[in-house]
Amino acid sequence: MSSQEIVFVVLGIVGLGAAVRLVTARNVVHAALYLVVSLAMVGGTYLVLAAEFVAFVQVLIYVGAIVVLLLFSLMLTRAPIGREALDNQQRGISALVALGILAGLAFLIQDAFRDARIEPDATPTGAVGVSIFQNFVLPFELVSVLLLAALIGAVVLARKDLP
Amino acid sequence: MDWLDWVLLLSRVVLVFAGLLVSVLLLIWWERKLVADMQTRIGPNRAGPFGLLVTLADGVKLFFKEGITPTNADRPVYLIAPIISLVPAFLAFAVVPFGAGITLFGREVPFQLQDLSIGILWVLAMGSLAVYGVVLAGWSSGSKYPLLGSIRSSAQMISYEVGMGLALVAVLMYSGTLSMAEIVDRQDGVWNVIPQLPAFVLYAVSALAETNRAPFDLPEAETELVAGYHTEYSGIKFAMFFLSEYLHLITVSAIAVTLFLGGWRGPVFDVVPWLWPPLWFLLKVLGMLFVYIWIRATLPRFRYDRLMNFGWKLLIPAGLLWVLATGALVVLSDVYGRARLFRWTAIAVAVALVLSLLRPVAFPGRDAGRAAAREEAP
């Protein structure tokens, strides 16, 4: 095994372990912290693939913004100080959904790449920008509109004074 | 990389680490002296000459204090929270170039830990990790005032991070690179602070909010929240929070100097030429720190709703507008050339200045009328 593969395996094991602890943790805040570890390991995988830009965007967006917002809303609404079990008793369904997503993704990735070998080489940030704003501009704009719709929806739901 | 490169890298790491720790000790002393001067007090004057050793004495005292863990605390999280708040502050400094570099043993040694090609992103990512220390400390203490403080401060830090990010976006659009060393290289003519003045102001304000210092010290508003998120911390763990606040202040100032004030650039003289760039860098950082301390001694704390309004309704829209304006500026200077654009801007500013001076002459009645109306109003 090359050193890259060793690092990848270590990152994968740590990430998977954190993911398992994430769904089995009794405390929501601990679960959120395991989520941080898991997401950071995904970022580490991007680093192994020499995609610096994507790796640090992963840290910035997922670890630095999304999980922080998650923690913030947890504290603002439920404020689970101490050890408090929060469980919505839907393990069967969620296991089913998770397995379905896993199978779907595995099939798609297997189907798309087959046995193509990808040599990791550093992509300059400019190239990432060019491919987003030239080749993939339509999906990018679609995602923006989707996010805007979600934003407006959240405002509508949150405002009680609207008819 | 052979062993010499590793030795050089390791010595840089140790040098920066030790340098940062010593400068925190001196900074705390300097801040207390300056604030004392501004309030006509004497300030620390017992330990060492001019009270220089006061922080060291405080540190030793905190080391030997008993570390108390509240009964309700979530132990593992309670223990790692101070570490999480300390580490990003150190790491963010890794991409700051503090000198031009020298040639040692026949190879170029940059005065920078590592020049990442995505330096600005690294700074932002580390800044976003810093929130965790505050949030986790407040939550894991298992007590209500720390929890209130940490909810407040996470809202504050998330909000002002957006403003800071927009300021950095404007700089990277203007410089066309994410690498800190290259951004300093681009400033050999004009410092970024002149064409990017709004971004500089935006960065300075939101960086101050990110470091949780007065007038943005709501997370530890002692009149309302005892001491905010670190109420339940004592001894060495409290010292780590204290250390990380000042480290953040230094890092933030160093990044402001690198991005806007030309980094280590300055006139170099013939006497020990390699020493001048770090010296200029140090002087500029001291200048930024002085301004931040001055602000602390001058401005009272924001009210919470004012703070949120200021962040969301003023800083972020202004940042978005300035990013748009910078985009227009970059495209226009690509099309017409930067020199011509500068000339036009200068002419426009001059015309606007002259017009504003002429206004009372051209419309003598208007201002007088308004002043009269103001006096009549109850």
Side-chain angles (χ1 to χ4, degrees):
Chain A
M1 281 209 291
S2 68
S3 55
Q4 264 177 351
E5 281 164 326
I6 295 172
V7 174
F8 174 73
V9 167
V10 171
L11 288 176
I13 290 173
V14 174
L16 267 182
V20 170
R21 293 291 289 130
L22 157 66
V23 285
T24 54
R26 292 242 160 253
N27 186 310
V28 236
V29 174
H30 288 180
L33 292 180
Y34 284 119
L35 183 61
V36 168
V37 175
S38 185
L39 291 172
M41 292 305 130
V42 175
T45 319
Y46 294 144
L47 265 190
V48 174
L49 292 171
E52 274 185 327
F53 180 76
V54 187
F56 283 104
V57 166
Q58 166 90 7
V59 172
L60 183 62
I61 305 287
Y62 283 92
V63 178
I66 291 185
V67 182
V68 169
L69 276 180
L70 200 93
L71 281 173
F72 177 64
S73 45
L74 271 180
M75 289 180 190
L76 203 61
T77 51
R78 195 68 66 110
I81 291 189
R83 295 165 191 80
E84 180 184 331
L86 287 174
D87 195 346
N88 62 1
Q89 309 295 344
Q90 289 180 331
R91 293 189 182 184
I93 299 174
S94 42
L96 215 64
V97 170
L99 283 177
I101 291 176
L102 177 68
L105 280 180
F107 174 75
L108 279 179
I109 291 172
Q110 170 67 22
D111 191 51
F113 291 101
R114 307 232 173 230
D115 36 82
R117 279 196 72 82
I118 294 167
E119 288 304 318
D121 54 341
T123 330
T125 310
V128 178
V130 166
S131 79
I132 287 180
F133 288 104
Q134 282 180 356
N135 305 344
F136 297 101
V137 72
L138 189 65
F140 178 80
E141 290 297 332
L142 270 179
V143 169
S144 324
V145 173
L146 187 70
L147 285 176
L148 183 66
L151 202 71
I152 295 171
V155 172
V156 170
L157 284 180
R159 284 195 65 166
K160 293 262 164 36
D161 53 334
L162 290 178
Chain B
M1 275 175 114
D2 61 351
W3 64 272
L4 192 57
D5 280 321
W6 285 107
V7 168
L8 287 174
L9 183 67
L10 202 69
S11 53
R12 285 210 300 275
V13 170
V14 171
L15 199 79
V16 168
F17 186 75
L20 278 176
L21 281 182
V22 172
S23 37
V24 166
L25 289 186
L26 292 177
L27 171 64
I28 295 175
W29 168 80
W30 194 45
E31 171 171 40
R32 292 178 65 173
K33 271 291 189 198
L34 263 182
V35 173
D37 278 349
M38 287 174 184
Q39 300 168 340
T40 46
R41 293 184 285 118
I42 296 172
N45 60 349
R46 296 286 136 170
F50 312 106
L52 254 171
L53 298 179
V54 66
T55 328
L56 200 62
D58 276 344
V60 170
K61 180 194 74 179
L62 282 173
F63 259 100
F64 287 108
K65 269 197 166 181
E66 183 190 357
I68 301 164
T69 311
T71 331
N72 259 340
D74 188 310
R75 272 193 78 92
V77 181
Y78 181 80
L79 294 181
I80 50 173
I83 302 171
I84 293 183
S85 84
L86 195 57
V87 170
F90 272 118
L91 287 184
F93 202 88
V95 291
V96 174
F98 48 91
I102 43 171
T103 316
L104 263 187
F105 313 118
R107 48 190 89 197
E108 283 285 309
V109 182
F111 277 5
Q112 183 182 20
L113 276 193
Q114 191 66 42
D115 181 32
L116 292 177
S117 62
I118 38 110
I120 292 189
L121 217 57
W122 170 267
V123 168
L124 270 177
M126 289 307 124
S128 68
L129 291 187
V131 189
Y132 277 100
V134 174
V135 173
L136 294 181
W139 175 78
S140 66
S141 296
S143 155
K144 58 187 168 226
Y145 289 117
L147 185 69
L148 286 173
S150 79
I151 289 176
R152 261 192 187 185
S153 60
S154 49
Q156 171 185 331
M157 286 166 97
I158 295 167
S159 315
Y160 282 80
E161 225 175 85
V162 182
M164 192 159 115
L166 287 172
L168 295 186
V169 164
V171 175
L172 90 90
M173 279 165 75
Y174 187 77
S175 312
T177 173
L178 280 162
S179 146
M180 302 290 261
E182 278 180 43
I183 288 175
V184 175
D185 283 345
R186 301 284 154 92
Q187 300 182 65
D188 56 352
V190 185
W191 291 357
N192 273 347
V193 67
I194 295 170
Q196 288 286 326
L197 185 65
F200 177 63
V201 174
L202 192 64
Y203 179 83
V205 172
S206 38
L208 194 59
E210 283 285 293
T211 54
N212 291 331
R213 283 175 55 85
F216 297 103
D217 57 345
L218 281 110
E220 43 186 299
E222 63 269 17
T223 43
E224 308 149 31
L225 293 175
V226 191
Y229 63 93
H230 57 54
T231 305
E232 302 289 352
Y233 280 88
S234 52
I236 180 75
K237 295 198 273 304
F238 171 75
M240 281 162 95
F241 279 119
F242 208 70
L243 184 63
S244 80
E245 178 185 327
Y246 283 87
L247 263 182
H248 268 298
L249 191 62
I250 293 179
T251 307
V252 150
S253 309
I255 289 165
V257 165
T258 307
L259 293 182
F260 295 100
L261 300 177
W264 41 263
R265 291 191 173 279
V268 173
F269 304 101
D270 272 341
V271 198
V272 239
W274 61 271
L275 196 63
W276 287 97
L279 198 67
W280 285 120
F281 181 78
L282 189 69
L283 278 179
K284 288 175 189 173
V285 171
L286 283 180
M288 281 298 290
L289 289 173
F290 177 79
V291 173
Y292 278 146
I293 295 172
W294 188 10
I295 289 174
R296 182 201 150 169
T298 312
L299 294 178
R301 186 179 302 133
F302 266 96
R303 212 172 65 197
Y304 188 63
D305 55 329
R306 294 272 176 92
L307 174 93
M308 281 296 149
N309 279 346
F310 182 65
W312 285 98
K313 296 185 180 164
L314 192 76
L315 277 188
I316 293 177
L320 282 172
L321 270 181
W322 181 248
V323 167
L324 277 181
T326 308
L329 199 79
V330 169
V331 172
L332 282 179
S333 65
D334 267 0
V335 177
Y336 296 108
R338 198 166 267 191
R340 209 194 292 182
L341 203 67
F342 263 126
R343 215 175 307 142
W344 285 352
T345 320
I347 290 172
V349 169
V351 168
L353 272 179
V354 170
L355 281 183
S356 69
L357 285 178
L358 283 181
R359 198 165 150 270
V361 185
F363 308 100
R366 207 183 270 178
D367 280 348
R370 208 178 283 160
R374 206 176 297 140
E375 257 164 45
E376 274 167 31

